[in-house]
Amino acid sequence: MMQLTWIYKSFDELNTKELYAILQLRSEVFIVEQNCVYQDVDGKDKKSFHLMAWQGDQLAAYTRLVAPGASFPQASIGRVITSPKYRGLGIGITLLEKSITHTLETYSTNKIRIGAQLYLKKFYEGFGFVAEGEEFLEDGIPHVEMILEK
């Protein structure tokens, strides 16, 4: 079984190594792998908390937990990502479970809204998220808003 180290930090607590690894992984997957040109560094990182799963010095998985009002009126989870090297090992499930727990606790809320890539809708439904509204294109990729109420 792979041993991961989970780290949860505010933006100001991130060191340069962590920030570089986060931006590198997001670029690798969201821009290069998904062939999507968009502005990843959008100003929301500064208002967010960051959950990272490390194996040694390799960033295996990551999410950004966004404060209410920054993306949606509710708290949000975004930039959900597992490194291609670590896919298929169940890390994404643990990542989302921990992200939900941290978001509910950090922002003292019982609601989380996300903008989910449409192909991941069933994945998020498995955690209790429910689709709301119509499908839409964001940066050329089909998405749907989803909400979780605890």
Side-chain angles (χ1 to χ4, degrees):
M1 181 69 185
M2 182 181 343
Q3 187 66 26
L4 295 174
T5 302
W6 292 90
I7 299 174
Y8 182 64
K9 292 184 173 183
S10 70
F11 180 81
D12 289 338
E13 294 172 319
L14 293 172
N15 65 41
T16 53
K17 176 187 154 213
E18 291 165 335
L19 182 58
Y20 186 88
I22 290 166
L23 295 175
Q24 184 178 38
L25 182 58
R26 288 180 1 189
S27 176
E28 176 186 354
V29 173
F30 296 133
I31 296 171
V32 177
E33 180 180 302
Q34 294 183 356
N35 195 27
C36 182
V37 177
Y38 78 109
Q39 183 62 46
D40 178 50
V41 180
D42 57 5
K44 294 177 187 174
D45 290 313
K46 294 178 184 179
K47 304 171 190 170
S48 300
F49 282 79
H50 305 268
L51 178 62
M52 301 164 278
W54 292 88
Q55 183 187 37
D57 64 352
Q58 295 291 308
L59 182 59
Y62 165 84
T63 54
R64 172 170 85 174
L65 312 182
V66 185
S71 289
F72 301 105
Q74 303 85 2
S76 183
I77 299 170
R79 303 295 199 260
V80 179
I81 189 168
T82 301
S83 169
K85 299 172 197 154
Y86 296 93
R87 291 186 187 150
L89 304 173
I91 297 170
I93 293 167
T94 305
L95 176 68
L96 198 57
E97 289 169 346
K98 287 180 177 293
S99 296
I100 290 168
T101 298
H102 280 299
T103 301
L104 296 173
E105 291 173 0
T106 299
Y107 299 115
S108 300
T109 186
N110 65 345
K111 291 183 183 179
I112 301 171
R113 182 175 295 274
I114 61 173
Q117 290 186 2
L118 193 57
Y119 83 95
L120 291 169
K121 182 177 174 229
K122 289 207 180 305
F123 174 74
Y124 290 113
E125 287 173 340
F127 296 91
F129 282 91
V130 176
E132 279 194 348
E134 299 296 316
E135 296 172 12
F136 61 95
L137 285 180
E138 183 175 312
D139 302 315
I141 297 172
H143 280 70
V144 64
E145 280 191 23
M146 302 184 81
I147 190 136
L148 174 71
E149 294 191 47
K150 288 286 190 177

